[in-house]
Amino acid sequence: MDKTCINKNGLEITTVIGCINSCAYCPSKLVVNEYIKRSDNVKLSFDDFKKCINKLPENTTLYFGGFSEPFLNSECIKMILYAYESGCEVEVYTTGIGLTLEDIDIIRNIKFKKFYLHLPDNSGLTRINVNNEYVSLIRKIVNSDIVNIRYICLLPEGYPGSVKSELSALIEELNIPLEFWQPNNRAGNLEIPGLNFVDRIEGVINHKCKHLNRGVLLPNCDVVLCCMDFGLKHVLGNLITSSYA
């Protein structure tokens, strides 16, 4: 492996298997179908999370997201606090679904490395209901001054229906700096008519893939090699029964 690929340790955290968002650009059904062949434990417990985190090298970065919406697990807030207080850098990838107004008060003072808030599109590719409750949640997140927050839409800018129309007024009112990201096909696991994906990385393993220094923790504490391995083809081991090394 290219030495430039060997850098800081990281671990993605999949707090639940199965996501109610069912976004079109996430092969969630694939990971569910493969996971239930391995385990019937679909929710990561706080106790198991602590056991795993306590085995990690110092200064490991934790990425809450993985193969599902992290806040669908009600203990995710406790996990984030424990990780942060243990000295881990923390990044969050969320749609906000499962997060409560009270939760925002709890995490607002955490110095996140990054906090990515994925806002829904208007093309039916995200199945997020933008009601008054959701708008209030987004408003509170924006006003909470969470550090290093980035607001993203997983569609190219200008793509028809790239921003949920019910959020347009809020985005303008709060001057939300929305970023548009070109989606990828999840290592060949997706095909969406009319949507072009970014090019797949091919060739030898090298620094072009920045994620190969971080596996993905599953609720049963198995660790998968890559965040694009929704088919769970490359399971490295289990952090309950094995050491990190």
Side-chain angles (χ1 to χ4, degrees):
M1 182 183 291
D2 190 313
K3 290 182 179 180
T4 56
C5 190
I6 303 173
N7 48 34
K8 189 169 183 177
N9 294 300
L11 187 67
E12 295 198 23
I13 310 298
T14 300
T15 66
V16 294
I17 292 293
C19 184
I20 61 173
N21 292 334
S22 297
C23 298
Y25 31 70
C26 177
S28 55
K29 289 183 179 179
L30 174 61
V31 71
V32 169
N33 291 339
E34 293 304 319
Y35 182 82
I36 60 177
K37 298 175 185 177
R38 307 182 62 86
S39 175
D40 57 2
N41 178 16
V42 297
K43 185 175 290 188
L44 178 63
S45 73
F46 180 58
D47 287 341
D48 281 348
F49 173 80
K50 288 195 296 183
K51 291 175 185 176
C52 294
I53 298 313
N54 291 342
K55 290 186 174 184
L56 300 180
E58 290 185 6
N59 301 317
T60 297
T61 300
L62 296 188
Y63 305 85
F64 286 85
F67 297 133
S68 64
E69 165 56 56
F71 292 110
L72 293 178
N73 185 326
S74 60
E75 294 192 300
C76 183
I77 291 292
K78 289 169 61 178
M79 296 177 193
I80 289 174
L81 287 173
Y82 183 83
Y84 182 67
E85 291 168 359
S86 298
C88 296
E89 288 189 316
V90 176
E91 288 193 12
V92 172
Y93 296 76
T94 181
T95 59
I97 299 300
L99 195 62
T100 68
L101 299 178
E102 293 73 23
D103 291 336
I104 298 170
D105 289 330
I106 294 172
I107 64 174
R108 64 187 305 168
N109 293 321
I110 290 179
K111 292 179 170 36
F112 291 104
K113 184 178 179 182
K114 288 286 189 302
F115 190 103
Y116 294 93
L117 181 62
H118 171 200
L119 297 177
D121 60 82
N122 207 38
S123 301
L125 299 181
T126 52
R127 281 82 176 195
I128 296 173
N129 182 24
V130 180
N131 51 25
N132 290 336
E133 182 181 355
Y134 184 77
V135 170
S136 295
L137 180 77
I138 301 304
R139 181 183 294 278
K140 181 154 186 176
I141 290 174
V142 175
N143 290 330
S144 69
D145 295 324
I146 291 175
V147 299
N148 294 323
I149 188 168
R150 294 172 68 177
Y151 304 90
I152 63 173
C153 176
L154 272 179
L155 281 174
E157 187 170 10
Y159 183 86
S162 57
V163 184
K164 195 75 171 176
S165 57
E166 293 92 327
L167 284 175
S168 297
L170 186 67
I171 290 171
E172 183 175 353
E173 174 196 342
L174 299 178
N175 196 26
I176 296 175
L178 191 60
E179 301 177 28
F180 295 88
W181 288 11
Q182 184 83 22
N184 65 64
N185 63 9
R186 309 292 183 173
N189 287 309
L190 285 180
E191 184 175 336
I192 301 176
L195 187 60
N196 295 321
F197 295 107
V198 295
D199 292 334
R200 182 177 178 178
I201 298 174
E202 297 180 351
V204 298
I205 296 174
N206 58 26
H207 64 282
K208 290 183 180 179
C209 183
K210 61 183 179 181
H211 300 312
L212 283 180
N213 65 324
R214 68 194 210 206
V216 183
L217 183 72
L218 304 179
N220 68 339
C221 301
D222 281 347
V223 177
V224 184
L225 172 65
C226 175
C227 61
M228 292 297 141
D229 187 10
F230 285 82
L232 308 184
K233 295 180 180 179
H234 307 286
V235 177
L236 302 176
N238 186 286
L239 263 179
I240 294 293
T241 59
S242 303
S243 68
Y244 180 83

